[in-house]
Amino acid sequence: MDSADVVCFFFFKQKTAYEIKECDWSSDVCSSDLGTAVGFAGTTGKIRGKITDDRTGDPLPGVNVLILGTTMGAATGVNGVFFILNVPPGTYKLRATMVGYTPGEVTNVKVFTDLTATVNIKLSQTVLQGKEVTIVAERPMVQRDATASAAIVTSDDIAVAPIENFKDILVTKAGVSLDAGGNLHIRGGRSGEIAYIVDGIANTNPFNNGLGVEVATNAIEEMSVITGSFNAEYGQVMSGVVEVVTKDPSQKLKMGGTFYFGDYISSDRQLYYHINDISPSSIYNAQFYATGPVPFLKNKLGYYFSLRRFYNDGWIYGQRRFNPSDSSNFQSANKPYMEETGDNRAVSMNDQNKYFGNIKLVLRISPSIKLTYNFLGSFDNYRTYNHLFRFNPDGDVTNHKSGFVNILNWNHMISSKTFYTVKFSYSSMTFKSYLYKNPDDPRYVNPELLRNREDSFSFLTGGTNMTNFVRSSDVNSIKFDITSQATKIHQIKSGFEYKYNTLYLNSRIAGYRGKIGGGLFSADAFFNSGEYENHPVVFSYYAQDKIELPSMTLNIGMRYDYFNSNGLIPVDLRDPDNSYNSRKHAFLKTKPKKQVSPRIGIAFPISVTGVIHTSYGHFFQIPPYEYLYVNPKFAVAPGGLNTLMGNADLNSQSTVIDRKSVG
């Protein structure tokens, strides 16, 4: 579609937000809390700084530093340096207090995932009660500890941007593009070479390595797009990482929403049939959120809830000149041209109906322990335009895509220098494509009659699309990470992840029972059809050291990956009679795949506006599972017809990156 031909007019848009009640979560902060820090989100950042005397410049030990509104804080050491680990991404206010000095506050401290926010504070000596000093922190033009190219978008950026969905945010970043099919690409790589992560858990559909569950924009606290090389904690990725951290519950009860509606219009009515029929309800979007503490629980439990509904009637319409059942009465010998029995009404052929939702619950068990549960779900019913069915629009399939992710995160701050997280997750993603849900539905007509067209350039005068496709993937995983600020310059991080997958697929031609005796449309001739269930297993372990020197930052790590497809392959793939159904030949069980990947990244700031990035690493990615298990019968089509055949013993895609850049 040419953007000059079709324009979407939004007739109305309204956004409201209300703060209903204030509730102070930090009312129980005491001096004993200052040595601990707790993060709500699955991925966090760090605040580092130094506190000195404003007159002498001497470091001040024993200064208490607190992130206001939380129980996160620390105390400075003998060199005046403090660290606050496990800080969720967001914007904060810091308060530094010490006997004999005027308290100091720093506002607008921005924390990003896996990065360090540096805050230096100068305190003034006082004998009497002095006036508190407030400093506004400025974000540096160069992130000194970022050893890979990354673009970060915060919830504040999203709130003011003219965007509608998750992908609209990504395509605004350098190196990210969107193809005609709506698939994302980073640095020119394939769409399946991107790792999608939500709150530290993979959100990737293992069948095609595409995006799993779409996240509503109003639920995103921070989103980062990492290109180039990646730290050892990132696996199963080749071209880029899209990492999302969802919003935590607010300290106050808040509600808000957005609503808009509109329609498409174009001056080219010949190309876009029915485009001149304007209806404001053809496109509408409604979203709502509510967040705050749960009443009567002493501020121990908070929630964030959001829901979105999006509908788009599309811009490509067909005309109902024929009905699907018409072809059942078609006899080419006596009736060369089909009579038009339809009502000639316009029918949308690329409409979309989507729902998004998430709920996040945060339970503060103690000042050092948090338990977080996050549910994300999306449902999408849509059609893709099929030119053959332009005059028989009711005979084509509808696609049904759904998915949800459950994440349970245990976050424990062992000390002011060490914390760990344990995440349990269960995700399920389903894709279905059919005209009628039951493949034996009597409304399916004889597929032989789909070939009764005048020529290859004509349209179908009836008939039904016989595709009946169901695919699902369930993933159970456990992930453990531990982070420790071992010394002033060394931050050690290590962890492992185990995934158990259940993949199910059933692909067949519908309605052939009792209707088709053989030929091109018989079940046996549908060589890429079949039903299977497989259980591939993935395990990984990593260890890395982030070294923050005064003049540079180094990330050095190592990663180990293990994959077992738990599949079968024929002994001789060249044998055309090596059908799984025939059982004439032996089959082999696939062998596990293993890889060790070193990773090194260096950031060397050369000025306040420039930094040199150098990186080296080995990266690999398991092929999409659909390539491993397609055509489970291992059948070869006769007569030279093309046949796809899966290979569960495929080697992983791999690459070595040796990159230098100046940013």
Side-chain angles (χ1 to χ4, degrees):
M1 181 186 68
D2 192 336
S3 59
D5 293 328
V6 178
V7 180
C8 181
F9 286 152
F10 288 7
F11 295 97
F12 176 80
K13 185 173 182 179
Q14 180 66 37
K15 182 176 182 180
T16 58
Y18 300 96
E19 291 188 8
I20 298 180
K21 179 181 178 183
E22 182 171 351
C23 186
D24 188 2
W25 281 39
S26 59
S27 58
D28 58 349
V29 174
C30 59
S31 58
S32 62
D33 292 330
L34 297 177
T36 63
V38 175
F40 294 167
T43 51
T44 57
K46 178 175 68 174
I47 298 177
R48 173 185 179 181
K50 186 174 184 179
I51 301 180
T52 58
D53 187 297
D54 69 337
R55 289 192 306 167
T56 65
D58 295 333
L60 297 178
V63 180
N64 289 326
V65 183
L66 178 69
I67 302 178
L68 296 182
T70 74
T71 58
M72 294 180 286
T76 59
V78 294
N79 54 4
V81 176
F82 70 92
F83 297 92
I84 306 178
L85 303 180
N86 206 15
V87 183
T91 303
Y92 298 97
K93 179 187 290 186
L94 268 62
R95 180 181 176 89
T97 58
M98 183 179 182
V99 176
Y101 284 82
T102 301
E105 287 190 357
V106 181
T107 62
N108 198 39
V109 178
K110 296 184 181 296
V111 176
F112 301 103
T113 301
D114 291 334
L115 298 177
T116 301
T118 302
V119 179
N120 296 319
I121 306 174
K122 296 181 179 181
L123 298 183
S124 302
Q125 297 186 28
T126 181
V127 178
L128 301 175
Q129 184 66 31
K131 185 177 180 181
E132 189 172 288
V133 177
T134 301
I135 304 170
V136 178
E138 295 184 0
R139 182 182 175 186
M141 299 185 67
V142 172
Q143 186 71 39
R144 298 174 61 91
D145 63 321
T147 57
S149 301
I152 300 175
V153 181
T154 66
S155 57
D156 294 335
D157 300 327
I158 295 173
V160 299
I163 56 176
E164 295 181 52
N165 55 54
F166 178 86
K167 294 179 180 178
D168 288 343
I169 307 171
L170 296 175
V171 296
T172 63
K173 303 305 171 185
V176 182
S177 60
L178 197 68
D179 64 23
N183 301 309
L184 289 167
H185 302 263
I186 294 181
R187 298 190 303 124
R190 292 184 287 265
S191 60
E193 295 179 350
I194 304 173
Y196 298 94
I197 301 173
V198 175
D199 288 347
I201 294 295
N203 182 31
T204 302
N205 189 333
F207 263 108
N208 56 10
N209 286 342
L211 174 64
V213 177
E214 189 169 342
V215 184
T217 55
N218 63 349
I220 298 175
E221 176 62 39
E222 177 194 284
M223 184 172 69
S224 57
V225 183
I226 307 172
T227 60
S229 60
F230 320 104
N231 293 340
E233 62 183 303
Y234 296 107
Q236 302 299 327
V237 58
M238 297 281 284
S239 63
V241 176
V242 177
E243 190 167 13
V244 172
V245 178
T246 58
K247 289 183 178 179
D248 288 331
S250 171
Q251 300 174 17
K252 305 173 183 178
L253 182 57
K254 299 179 181 179
M255 292 192 299
T258 301
F259 178 76
Y260 66 78
F261 56 84
D263 197 3
Y264 293 102
I265 189 171
S266 173
S267 59
D268 194 340
R269 298 181 182 180
Q270 183 177 0
L271 179 61
Y272 299 104
Y273 166 69
H274 195 66
I275 199 71
N276 60 320
D277 185 13
I278 305 300
S279 174
S281 61
S282 294
I283 303 172
Y284 61 85
N285 177 86
Q287 55 192 75
F288 167 81
Y289 78 90
T291 179
V294 175
F296 312 115
L297 291 180
K298 298 182 180 180
N299 304 323
K300 294 291 185 180
L301 180 64
Y303 67 91
Y304 185 94
F305 169 79
S306 70
L307 185 65
R308 180 190 178 196
R309 166 75 188 280
F310 175 77
Y311 176 77
N312 189 331
D313 198 44
W315 62 90
I316 305 178
Y317 291 83
Q319 187 179 17
R320 188 184 289 126
R321 292 169 56 178
F322 302 94
N323 291 306
S325 59
D326 288 341
S327 65
S328 62
N329 301 319
F330 178 68
Q331 298 176 4
S332 58
N334 302 325
K335 196 183 299 181
Y337 296 100
M338 191 67 191
E339 295 179 1
E340 297 184 9
T341 62
D343 56 12
N344 290 319
R345 297 187 61 180
V347 178
S348 176
M349 297 186 67
N350 69 330
D351 55 310
Q352 187 173 47
N353 192 7
K354 305 176 72 172
Y355 294 86
F356 305 93
N358 90 292
I359 183 167
K360 191 172 188 178
L361 302 174
V362 179
L363 176 63
R364 184 171 59 177
I365 298 175
S366 72
S368 61
I369 299 176
K370 293 283 185 181
L371 183 64
T372 303
Y373 170 74
N374 194 8
F375 171 85
L376 297 167
S378 64
F379 306 90
D380 187 3
N381 297 329
Y382 65 96
R383 300 182 72 191
T384 301
Y385 178 68
N386 187 338
H387 200 57
L388 286 176
F389 286 87
R390 181 180 178 185
F391 296 125
N392 176 29
D394 299 319
D396 199 17
V397 299
T398 299
N399 301 311
H400 310 267
K401 182 180 178 182
S402 63
F404 62 84
V405 179
N406 294 275
I407 304 173
L408 186 65
N409 179 18
W410 174 275
N411 188 310
H412 183 196
M413 197 78 188
I414 302 174
S415 68
S416 61
K417 296 182 178 180
T418 304
F419 72 94
Y420 71 88
T421 61
V422 182
K423 300 183 181 74
F424 301 92
S425 70
Y426 169 68
S427 64
S428 180
M429 301 165 195
T430 303
F431 176 80
K432 302 177 181 179
S433 182
Y434 50 74
L435 176 59
Y436 306 118
K437 185 175 182 179
N438 183 0
D440 297 319
D441 193 300
R443 289 173 292 181
Y444 282 111
V445 300
N446 193 326
E448 292 280 359
L449 302 176
L450 289 173
R451 295 186 293 178
N452 290 328
R453 291 189 292 150
E454 184 178 358
D455 53 51
S456 59
F457 301 101
S458 60
F459 301 97
L460 291 172
T461 57
T464 52
N465 189 325
M466 308 305 290
T467 299
N468 195 285
F469 181 85
V470 177
R471 182 182 73 190
S472 66
S473 59
D474 297 339
V475 183
N476 292 273
S477 73
I478 178 172
K479 190 172 187 289
F480 173 83
D481 299 280
I482 185 168
T483 303
S484 179
Q485 190 69 43
T487 68
K488 186 174 72 172
I489 64 173
H490 290 276
Q491 179 178 291
I492 308 297
K493 189 173 183 179
S494 182
F496 69 85
E497 183 176 20
Y498 173 82
K499 292 182 182 179
Y500 181 81
N501 300 268
T502 299
L503 307 177
Y504 173 78
L505 183 143
N506 189 346
S507 177
R508 57 178 290 189
I509 287 183
Y512 70 85
R513 293 181 180 176
K515 297 180 181 179
I516 307 173
L520 180 62
F521 292 98
S522 68
D524 292 336
F526 192 28
F527 292 96
N528 295 324
S529 69
E531 182 179 14
Y532 66 74
E533 181 175 310
N534 284 286
H535 301 275
V537 173
V538 179
F539 174 79
S540 62
Y541 170 79
Y542 75 93
Q544 65 185 39
D545 184 9
K546 183 177 181 180
I547 307 171
E548 297 179 273
L549 301 172
S551 58
M552 70 173 65
T553 299
L554 297 90
N555 270 308
I556 302 174
M558 187 74 71
R559 180 180 181 88
Y560 169 79
D561 286 275
Y562 169 95
F563 172 70
N564 191 342
S565 68
N566 286 324
L568 296 174
I569 58 172
V571 173
D572 185 4
L573 288 172
R574 297 178 181 271
D575 187 348
D577 195 32
N578 212 356
S579 171
Y580 182 76
N581 291 336
S582 69
R583 303 287 183 175
K584 293 181 179 179
H585 301 273
F587 285 80
L588 297 176
K589 191 172 183 179
T590 57
K591 296 181 180 180
K593 309 294 182 183
K594 306 171 186 178
Q595 177 161 324
V596 176
S597 307
R599 310 280 177 87
I600 300 174
I602 302 174
F604 182 72
I606 54 178
S607 69
V608 295
T609 59
V611 61
I612 297 176
H613 291 140
T614 300
S615 57
Y616 173 84
H618 289 243
F619 304 89
F620 88 107
Q621 187 176 31
I622 299 169
Y625 289 161
E626 60 184 350
Y627 295 165
L628 305 183
Y629 307 115
V630 67
N631 190 355
K633 298 180 297 186
F634 298 105
V636 179
L641 295 177
N642 293 329
T643 303
L644 292 176
M645 184 180 295
N647 183 356
D649 202 37
L650 279 177
N651 291 323
S652 300
Q653 307 168 84
S654 62
T655 185
V656 177
I657 295 179
D658 184 0
R659 186 183 183 193
K660 301 177 180 64
S661 64
V662 179

